[in-house]
Amino acid sequence: MINFSTKLFGIIHYIQDQMCFASRGNRIYSSYDGGNSWEHLFSIPLPLSQHIQSLFYLTQRFFRMGVHHLTCIQDHTLVLLAYGKIYIYNLKKRLLNPECALIVGSRPLSLCKTNTHQLYYGEYRGNLERTPIHIFKSLDGGRQWQPVCQFTNVRHVHGIFHDLYDNKIWVTTGDNDEESGVWMTCDGFCTIEKVVGGNQQTRAVQLLFSKTHVYFGSDTPLEKNYIYRIEKKTGKLEKLQGVESSVFWGCKVGEYLFFSTAVEPSNVNKCRDACIWGSKDGEQWKCVARFRKDFWPKKLFQYGQILFPSGENNTDYLWFTPFATEKHLTVQRLSVKEIL
């Protein structure tokens, strides 16, 4: 395995051609040369209590602090989900909007951007009482948000994803059998249908798309996990590859597909490594990297994971950030041509 570290300590969140954005605590960094050099762009202002919690990496992990999602719209506006709020930064004016919308729920697992710059996120919280869960939409670059869909039969929304090939929006939900599923809307949530669901193998977080298929990995601590794909034309579900544990995150590099597994408490999935699985054709999959979970307790200091940036990555490199594992919060990149 060829492994090249950029020596940037933090999380890479977004990549578009040679433009990259990353965070370290409440500090946001930018690169316009493919990650070879980075500059401090701005810092998110924090109240004293959150500032103290953000000073040390263990308190950051314990309190789930930091930037969770970042996307760039219209090439000049950053939208960030961080510290319980939604921040907007104007790249041209180098100005952070002082008005912030509050995130409903705790911290969404995804931030969806369409090709018309609409934004979506799904409500994610413990929800033991199983009250209604919502999907929120913004038409003005993240300033105002309105609920556009309500679920009464799920615990929470795992993710919302835009299929660039078909211009449809897909949703993943969990956690119990009847609550788990992959959903699709082609009319902006006027209607929504469950494409697959009803068991732990259709409990998913991240979706990836090709022209003909939708790819995901199952996310269950109760059973062995697999990578699957759904044929768009027929809805047929196909099992592709067994993996070590729950699949949380994924990304594409050109047409290459990648998913990562997490190290979480489970009586079935006992692997101590967070792993990256990759495929160049969607059919044959290979484990291309693995990182050992650190010794800090999973439930208190988070599961071992490998985080991927959003955006359209058409470079030759897979970018990622190990989290709660060896090389914790050290941005990495791999040449996809060398590993697949």
Side-chain angles (χ1 to χ4, degrees), residues 4-5 7 12 60 65 71 79-80 143 154 168 170 179 183 185 198 217-218 224 228 264 273 300 305 309:
F4 175 79
S5 169
K7 301 188 184 304
I12 184 165
Q60 290 176 17
M65 308 294 288
T71 192
V79 180
L80 302 87
R143 292 167 180 81
V154 306
K168 296 177 180 179
W170 294 70
E179 299 170 334
W183 308 68
T185 177
S218 56
K224 180 174 173 57
Y228 291 89
E264 63 176 337
D273 295 337
L300 291 178
Q305 305 170 51

Side-chain angles (χ1 to χ4, degrees), residues 145-159:
W145 297 79
Q146 298 81 32
V148 294
C149 181
Q150 174 179 288
F151 290 99
T152 57
N153 56 346
V154 306
R155 182 180 184 183
H156 40 221
V157 173
H158 282 172

Side-chain angles (χ1 to χ4, degrees), residues 130 153-155 173-181 183 194:
R130 296 309 197 265
N153 56 346
V154 306
R155 182 180 184 183
T173 61
D175 280 336
N176 294 336
D177 286 0
E178 67 279 5
E179 299 170 334
S180 299
W183 308 68
K194 183 183 284 188

Side-chain angles (χ1 to χ4, degrees), residues 19-36:
M19 180 176 66
C20 311
F21 296 98
S23 72
R24 183 166 63 204
N26 68 325
R27 296 168 64 87
I28 309 303
Y29 295 85
S30 62
S31 173
Y32 292 92
D33 60 3
N36 292 312

Side-chain angles (χ1 to χ4, degrees), residues 68-69 81 106-111 121-124 156-161 172 204-206 219 248-249 305:
H68 301 301
H69 303 287
L81 273 58
S106 56
R107 48 193 178 107
L109 299 188
S110 72
L111 174 61
Y121 78 86
E123 190 175 353
Y124 184 84
H156 40 221
V157 173
H158 282 172
I160 306 173
F161 308 94
T172 56
V205 179
Q206 180 88 41
D219 159 38
F248 283 3
W249 314 117
Q305 305 170 51

